[in-house]
Amino acid sequence: MQLPPKVTDRAFARLAEIGAGTDGKALRVAVEGGGCSGFQYEIKLDDPAEDDLVIAGGAEQVIVDPISLPFLSGAVIDFSDELIGARFVIENPNATSSCGCGTSFSI
């Protein structure tokens, strides 16, 4: 059974700060082949597609395409604002290892 990813209130708050929902955009979280560990996350503002999973928080949305969904089962999508920078981060229980930058992982 696949559990959909969870999105934190902090991630939805950041999307509201940048006005994503106001512009009709959603945060797309996708998994692609590549990176230093085999898979990498692609995180960008995008228009929702018909077959996307939509996770809504107020006027904000996070979308995941059906191909990426199994790789993100049970993951947590969050926003981190630290000294090294501010970015959306993914805590993925399916990843067996990841690189130092946090955008590449293996299963």
Side-chain angles (χ1 to χ4, degrees), residues 25-104:
K25 299 287 184 183
L27 183 72
R28 177 171 299 283
V29 178
V31 174
E32 300 178 333
C36 55
S37 297
F39 294 99
Q40 63 187 4
Y41 299 113
E42 179 184 18
I43 301 173
K44 65 180 181 178
L45 293 179
D46 199 7
D47 296 313
E50 192 174 300
D51 58 349
D52 284 337
L53 168 71
V54 177
I55 305 165
E60 306 306 324
Q61 296 180 332
V62 174
I63 52 177
V64 180
D65 65 88
I67 294 171
S68 299
L69 192 55
F71 297 101
L72 295 169
S73 178
V76 176
I77 301 164
D78 195 6
F79 183 77
S80 174
D81 191 0
E82 300 174 355
L83 288 175
I84 60 171
R87 63 190 173 121
F88 289 97
V89 294
I90 299 168
E91 182 182 317
N92 191 342
N94 305 304
T96 56
S97 65
S98 64
C99 67
C101 66
T103 61
S104 180

